[in-house]
Amino acid sequence: MPDYHDDLRLAHVLADAADAATMDRFKALDLKVETKPDLTPVSEADKAAEELIRGQLQRARPRDAVLGEEYGVEGTGPRRWVIDPIDGTKNYVRGVPVWATLISLMEAAEGGYQPVVGLVSAPALGRRWWAAKGHGAFTGRSLTSASRMRVSQVSRIADASFAYSSLTGWEERGRLDGFLDLTRAVWRTRGYGDFWPYMMVAEGSVDICAEPELSLWDMAAPAVIVTEAGGVFTGLDGRPGPHSGNAAASNGHLHDELLGYLNQKY
């Protein structure tokens, strides 16, 4: 089994550089923010962080392809780095500290590219999480200062903590009734949003989470981190991995029940 240690070490170097760039502009009074065609915001920090990561990858891994939220795909081949320079841009531009840089390495496999390395760095929270396929999931300050993560062992939906981002996406896709039924069935709900619920599932502090609409760069890193922590990461259709355009993550014990609620038809 490949060890991916060099790739994981590079991901940390990339995240260190991105963290410095994004924190430098966080809460800046002159931060420039534009609206993209899909009506979502993008800041100068998003663009700068992605450019920085792409530049370092070009030097360190010139044969690898890169897919980023702001500048699309560049290159071809069996290995592809997938970058979300700031996941949670709306939080970032409003001064809310819940945002992160997501970095993943995907490799060509049966059924399409699959994530083999994932790193999520949330510098304003002082947190970082990472994983490599076959080698477990960790959180800490660095590769040498880390603790291993494990999902929870909660096995009853009535005892579960459920995290989500918002209600509007579920309503727009005709899934609100099932979503609300799930919120009534669980022990606790919290709208943490973006990358954070997946990291909490991996840490065992949240048991289930889901989002109705996502892009590959939102999911590639969380998918491998949750899986390596012993959890399950699929689309709402049950397809494993980050390719369904939406996501459901759990400790494994509750996954079928989670999907059952969110796929209810009325």
Side-chain angles (χ1 to χ4, degrees):
M1 179 180 291
D3 65 17
Y4 299 111
H5 182 76
D6 288 345
D7 295 310
L8 194 53
R9 187 166 52 194
L10 174 59
H12 277 272
V13 171
L14 298 173
D16 288 344
D19 287 354
T22 52
M23 285 299 291
D24 182 60
R25 299 299 292 153
F26 184 49
K27 296 187 178 181
L29 296 178
D30 60 343
L31 181 72
K32 295 182 176 63
V33 182
E34 303 168 10
T35 300
K36 294 192 286 190
D38 65 358
L39 302 182
T40 60
V42 58
S43 74
E44 63 183 82
D46 291 81
K47 295 179 177 180
E50 184 168 324
E51 288 171 351
L52 189 64
I53 292 170
R54 283 176 178 270
Q56 293 202 10
L57 282 172
Q58 179 59 41
R59 292 188 292 274
R61 296 287 191 277
R63 295 183 179 180
D64 293 351
V66 182
L67 169 65
E69 179 176 10
E70 307 308 334
Y71 295 106
V73 66
E74 183 178 0
T76 58
R79 289 164 47 99
R80 176 181 291 178
W81 293 86
V82 179
I83 311 299
D84 189 345
I86 299 179
D87 182 50
T89 298
K90 292 176 183 177
N91 282 346
Y92 184 88
V93 301
R94 290 297 303 270
V96 179
V98 183
W99 50 270
T101 295
L102 278 52
I103 300 170
S104 178
L105 172 63
M106 304 185 75
E107 289 188 344
E110 188 175 345
Y113 285 90
Q114 297 299 327
V116 294
V117 169
L119 183 147
V120 173
S121 187
L125 294 176
R127 297 296 310 277
R128 186 176 288 188
W129 306 261
W130 64 88
K133 183 179 179 181
H135 296 280
F138 297 84
T139 183
R141 294 287 183 176
S142 67
L143 279 169
T144 56
S145 176
S147 57
R148 188 156 188 170
M149 296 191 292
R150 302 279 188 186
V151 295
S152 74
Q153 295 302 309
V154 172
S155 59
R156 295 176 66 246
I157 204 75
D159 297 328
S161 179
F162 170 47
Y164 61 94
S165 286
S166 68
L167 299 180
T168 53
W170 300 102
E171 185 172 29
E172 290 166 357
R173 287 155 190 82
R175 296 177 182 266
L176 183 59
D177 288 339
F179 173 88
L180 292 175
D181 283 349
L182 176 59
T183 66
R184 298 180 187 109
V186 298
W187 165 64
R188 189 172 190 253
T189 63
R190 284 294 183 272
Y192 298 111
D194 300 306
F195 67 93
W196 208 4
Y198 304 99
M199 300 303 99
M200 291 184 184
V201 168
E203 289 181 319
S205 53
V206 162
D207 310 302
I208 54 177
C209 68
E211 289 181 274
E213 183 181 23
L214 292 167
S215 298
L216 179 60
W217 45 77
D218 298 313
M219 297 182 284
V224 67
I225 293 172
V226 168
T227 303
E228 286 298 316
V232 175
F233 189 106
T234 73
L236 297 178
D237 56 5
R239 180 185 177 191
H243 296 288
S244 298
N246 45 49
S250 77
N251 62 6
H253 300 291
L254 302 168
H255 206 79
D256 289 344
E257 221 169 337
L258 170 63
L259 294 180
Y261 274 101
L262 298 178
N263 286 306
Q264 283 181 29
K265 304 296 182 185
Y266 290 88

